[in-house]
Amino acid sequence: MPGGFTFLLEVFVPTLNWLGKDAVLNHHLDVPYRTLELKESFNCESGKSENKIIHGDNLEALKALLPEYEGRVKCIYIDPPYNTGEENWVYNDNVDSPKIRNWLGQVVGKEAEDLTRHDKWLCMMYPRLKLLQKLLSEDGAIFISIDDNEQANLKLMCDEIFGAGNFVSNLIWQKKFSPQNDSKWFSDNHDFIVCYAKKKYIWHPNLMERSLESDSRYKNPDNDPRGPWASTDLAVKSYTKEYDYPIITPSGRMVYPSKGRCWMTSKERMDQLIKDNRIWFGMSNDNVPRYKTFLNEVQKGIVPLSIWLYEDVGHNQSAKQELKEIFPEEHNPFDTPKPTRLIERILQIATDKNSIILDSFAGSGTTAHAVLNMNKQDGGNRKFILVEMEDYADSITAERVRRVIKGYKADKKIELYSKEMTVNDLKNASDFLEEIKCIREERREDFSSFKTEFENNTLKLYGVAKGDEEGTGGDFNFYELGPEMILDGNLNEHQSVEKIRSYIYYTETGTPIDKENVKESKHEFFLGDFDNTAYYLFYKKKEITTLDFDFLSTIQIPSERYVIYADNCVLPKDFLFEHNITFKKIPRDVRKF
Ligand SMILES: C[S@@+](CC[C@H](N)C(=O)[O-])C[C@H]1O[C@@H](n2cnc3c(N)ncnc32)[C@H](O)[C@@H]1O
């Protein structure tokens, strides 16, 4: 059992307890800061891409991203292991994976041996979600794929980390199209996508493009010159006495709102609306009145629904098929990909053309694929950051992105025949198969092969042709996790001075170093200005540095306050105080975060 419920009276929000929670509550602060080591730049000059694929445990990778990305990521999508307990997967979905077990052993200690599957999963997720929350921008949102194994636990944990008030929705994604008749209880055909905003009062989903189907609800039976319209109920539930009056139809009938309801507006305003032909009494002019909403007056898009059907965003099988097209040489490139269209839907709702998108459980790299597709479609400049722990980070995750960027040859399936079958039809199946045989014969020249499939009670014939999938363009940098910044309490001398400078500046200001500002200052040890304070790191590898009057005389740019790091300081205390100078001793005062 993963702990139980505690009711915190102070905040009136139930919180989840589980074994090992105490050990991980602040663990994100103990995770060592490691730098990112560039290994490859694909389709761009070395290091010049703004897209990143990182091979490594996301706990350390997320920490490594903080100095550059804290508060800047507009949209996070993660698809963590669902904790199904299934074994023998390409990656191990059970948190018993040796890497995670090792991590739990170190963090939770001996107690880790007694943890249940759920406790372990929660211990694994908690510090990662803490770091993800820091990375989100004020107007950002996180979307988390999950199923019933952990959905309820995840929801309570996220309430604690993101704030219950920032919960947006528990979206339903129809992941399968055919029922599983051997299921013991229900044939499970949906996943959840739990969505939280960093600040719900700031975050709003983008509207979805109006479809032909939604527009087709608008008609023009009275040839209104303002164009097609749809009618809605004129009566409302929130009762106001002044809005409760009879309306006389053109046919002369008196109509009242139904019991407990009233009309949506006052008598005077209603008379104006009737005069303006905005109230519809039906073709007979005798019906209960309804309000006309014109297509050209409705918002340019539709508010996204909370149930996402596979017809619109794909399903598990289509995701596998899509990946197989990119890796035709592999029998089963990756077990649990998500459909690109599913992630594209999230990007439509939660990003703009310049957003940064992060996926720290990247798997086969669907999120990068979706970002590249979207940029190609609308000329955007969205940036992606992916993290994948397993060794296929290069051979599957990055390789998919390389192929998508450059284009690849894919087997394209074109539907040639589709027949929804009733039970009676099934009795005559041989007739339909004969029809299919004829079509295959006729189209033999056009396709390299054919596929007959029976899905969703529908018999289908596809022609398969080799086609070129045009590249999306784009680029990325591939990184491995580098050495720790602080080793045995000292600044790690194997780190470049540039990375040490960035680290110190971030620990002081919580913002990334501004390289232009530093260049302009022309001072070798200047880190930057922040909040009327000038920061200096007087650091030399293998040399002891001393803050003295000689060093001070090199500072030309005046500031209200100064923070200066050095190995030693020989300036008198009252002098430092008088000139608003704070001396910070290396390594004693170097902070971890
Ligand atoms: C369900 S898959 C994600 C599938 C992905 N959405 C796609 O469409 O291909 C989860 C992925 O997270 C990775 N993973 C699990 N724990 C991780 C960790 N601590 N750090 C980085 N990646 C991790 C697994 O190796 C696996 O590839």
Side-chain angles (χ1 to χ4, degrees):
M1 181 200 76
F5 262 59
T6 319
F7 211 77
L8 284 185
L9 288 175
E10 313 91 75
V11 280
F12 301 107
V13 176
T15 55
L16 185 71
N17 278 326
W18 66 89
L19 269 182
K21 182 175 183 182
D22 289 348
V24 294
L25 272 184
N26 286 315
H27 179 63
H28 62 287
L29 300 172
D30 299 332
V31 176
Y33 172 77
R34 296 172 67 175
T35 48
L36 297 178
E37 300 289 299
L38 181 66
K39 295 290 167 189
E40 176 199 348
S41 291
F42 183 78
N43 218 22
C44 63
E45 265 179 57
S46 176
K48 283 283 182 270
S49 176
E50 292 183 280
N51 298 318
K52 290 183 166 65
I53 301 180
I54 304 166
H55 176 211
D57 186 327
N58 50 21
L59 190 61
E60 292 182 318
L62 293 174
K63 187 89 178 214
L65 290 168
L66 271 181
E68 193 177 346
Y69 290 100
E70 180 167 354
R72 291 183 59 211
V73 178
K74 173 91 166 116
C75 173
I76 297 176
Y77 169 71
I78 54 168
D79 180 12
Y82 285 4
N83 206 15
T84 57
E86 304 248 346
E87 308 293 349
N88 303 327
W89 290 29
V90 173
Y91 75 92
N92 196 334
D93 193 24
N94 188 321
V95 189
D96 264 342
S97 127
K99 285 178 189 167
I100 297 293
R101 203 175 335 127
N102 182 27
W103 173 78
L104 279 170
Q106 285 166 14
V107 175
V108 186
K110 223 36 202 130
E111 201 187 328
E113 287 164 19
D114 300 329
L115 306 189
T116 66
R117 193 156 66 82
H118 299 286
D119 293 317
K120 287 180 196 168
W121 189 86
L122 289 161
C123 283
M124 187 273 285
M125 289 301 288
Y126 192 91
R128 288 164 172 84
L129 287 169
K130 279 292 245 199
L131 292 172
L132 288 168
Q133 198 269 350
K134 280 174 176 282
L135 288 159
L136 264 190
S137 62
E138 298 286 281
D139 62 349
I142 180 168
F143 295 78
I144 310 172
S145 276
I146 203 72
D147 73 2
D148 274 320
N149 281 288
E150 297 294 352
Q151 185 277 334
N153 291 333
L154 176 75
K155 168 76 174 55
L156 284 174
M157 184 166 55
C158 285
D159 278 350
E160 189 173 328
I161 294 171
F162 294 94
N166 290 316
F167 170 70
V168 177
S169 187
N170 189 16
L171 304 162
I172 307 279
W173 166 49
Q174 190 186 14
K175 65 179 171 183
K176 285 188 195 158
F177 57 80
S178 51
Q180 255 177 298
N181 283 328
D182 57 353
S183 301
K184 223 168 169 186
W185 292 284
F186 286 91
S187 169
D188 172 36
N189 70 336
H190 71 277
D191 272 1
F192 302 104
I193 303 178
V194 177
C195 171
Y196 280 78
K198 175 89 167 237
K199 297 209 164 130
K200 194 175 171 188
Y201 62 90
I202 298 180
W203 187 81
H204 290 289
N206 299 330
L207 298 176
M208 305 279 303
E209 246 176 52
R210 300 188 64 85
S211 63
L212 284 178
E213 193 196 330
S214 51
D215 283 358
S216 69
R217 288 193 307 109
Y218 291 77
K219 304 256 160 41
N220 196 351
D222 59 349
N223 282 327
D224 194 309
R226 289 163 292 196
W229 50 268
S231 71
T232 46
D233 204 344
L234 252 192
V236 292
K237 275 192 208 150
S238 44
Y239 186 81
T240 316
K241 182 131 190 23
E242 300 82 75
Y243 290 6
D244 189 356
Y245 51 85
I247 295 179
I248 317 256
T249 68
S251 61
R253 193 162 70 88
M254 221 188 260
V255 185
Y256 284 90
S258 49
K259 199 159 182 276
R261 293 184 160 220
C262 63
W263 302 122
M264 65 186 237
T265 190
S266 64
K267 171 104 182 64
E268 292 70 38
R269 175 89 185 111
M270 188 64 76
D271 288 343
Q272 285 166 3
L273 291 172
I274 292 172
K275 218 162 142 200
D276 191 25
N277 189 25
R278 278 180 181 265
I279 304 298
W280 175 240
F281 295 94
M283 291 303 264
S284 60
N285 270 330
D286 188 48
N287 289 359
V288 173
R290 289 174 67 80
Y291 183 73
K292 284 163 73 175
T293 305
F294 292 92
L295 181 57
N296 62 15
E297 290 171 356
V298 291
Q299 28 188 13
K300 286 281 168 275
I302 40 181
V303 175
L305 295 169
S306 58
I307 297 185
W308 297 2
L309 302 178
Y310 70 76
E311 287 97 330
D312 301 321
V313 293
H315 48 66
N316 278 339
Q317 278 314 106
S318 65
K320 282 193 156 203
Q321 176 61 32
E322 194 178 7
L323 200 59
K324 189 85 187 66
E325 285 175 9
I326 303 172
F327 290 98
E329 74 280 16
E330 299 270 348
H331 167 63
N332 182 23
F334 188 77
D335 256 322
T336 56
K338 291 288 184 281
T340 312
R341 281 194 294 155
L342 178 72
I343 316 297
E344 283 175 20
R345 162 74 60 96
I346 292 174
L347 300 181
Q348 279 157 14
I349 288 172
T351 70
D352 56 47
K353 286 185 178 179
N354 290 306
S355 301
I356 299 173
I357 295 113
L358 167 65
D359 179 347
S360 53
F361 291 88
S364 69
T366 314
T367 300
H369 191 166
V371 168
L372 291 164
N373 276 354
M374 294 278 292
N375 283 347
K376 188 176 175 200
Q377 274 163 33
D378 65 8
N381 183 31
R382 296 170 189 80
K383 273 83 60 180
F384 61 80
I385 305 169
L386 303 189
V387 185
E388 173 53 54
M389 165 172 88
E390 295 296 340
D391 289 343
Y392 52 70
D394 183 19
S395 60
I396 298 285
T397 320
E399 182 54 22
R400 174 181 188 172
V401 184
R402 288 184 196 105
R403 293 185 188 191
V404 167
I405 287 174
K406 286 288 186 194
Y408 53 93
K409 283 224 175 304
D411 280 347
K412 287 206 183 297
K413 272 168 65 178
I414 293 168
E415 191 181 294
L416 301 174
Y417 176 88
S418 171
K419 168 88 183 123
E420 200 175 331
M421 306 286 270
T422 60
V423 175
N424 261 348
D425 287 336
L426 283 174
K427 289 183 194 144
N428 303 319
S430 57
D431 293 352
F432 302 111
L433 292 173
E434 193 56 35
E435 259 184 83
I436 283 183
K437 203 169 149 198
C438 293
I439 299 173
R440 285 178 69 142
E441 207 44 48
E442 276 167 26
R443 306 291 307 267
R444 204 157 36 119
E445 300 288 298
D446 304 335
F447 297 97
S448 54
S449 62
F450 294 91
K451 272 194 174 149
T452 309
E453 286 177 11
F454 189 68
E455 61 182 47
N456 211 12
N457 294 330
T458 308
L459 181 65
K460 291 191 172 194
L461 172 71
Y462 295 98
V464 183
K466 278 254 172 279
D468 286 328
E469 191 63 48
E470 200 186 291
T472 55
D475 47 40
F476 67 87
N477 291 331
F478 187 85
Y479 298 88
E480 295 282 350
L481 284 168
E484 292 181 18
M485 179 57 74
I486 296 181
L487 267 188
D488 302 327
N490 285 315
L491 284 170
N492 183 350
E493 297 224 329
H494 292 107
Q495 289 286 358
S496 68
V497 172
E498 193 192 338
K499 283 183 174 156
I500 293 177
R501 286 165 52 80
S502 300
Y503 177 83
I504 299 286
Y505 188 72
Y506 173 75
T507 58
E508 284 291 341
T509 66
T511 61
I513 210 162
D514 177 352
K515 289 188 179 139
E516 283 311 304
N517 182 14
V518 169
K519 222 194 255 169
E520 270 169 35
S521 81
K522 298 202 175 84
H523 193 294
E524 188 187 348
F525 302 106
F526 179 66
L527 297 178
D529 281 309
F530 188 83
D531 208 8
N532 299 326
T533 306
Y535 293 89
Y536 290 83
L537 173 66
F538 189 21
Y539 171 77
K540 291 181 179 177
K541 282 190 188 177
K542 313 230 183 286
E543 255 185 63
I544 301 289
T545 57
T546 302
L547 172 55
D548 52 16
F549 286 111
D550 281 352
F551 181 82
L552 279 193
S553 66
T554 64
I555 296 179
Q556 303 295 329
I557 309 167
S559 181
E560 244 178 63
R561 289 181 294 275
Y562 302 85
V563 171
I564 306 176
Y565 281 81
D567 293 305
N568 285 318
C569 173
V570 291
L571 298 175
K573 277 202 175 127
D574 0 338
F575 178 86
L576 293 174
F577 183 73
E578 212 175 295
H579 292 86
N580 281 331
I581 300 171
T582 306
F583 161 65
K584 294 213 171 176
K585 188 169 171 59
I586 304 171
R588 185 195 65 198
D589 296 328
V590 172
R591 259 201 325 118
K592 290 188 177 177
F593 63 87

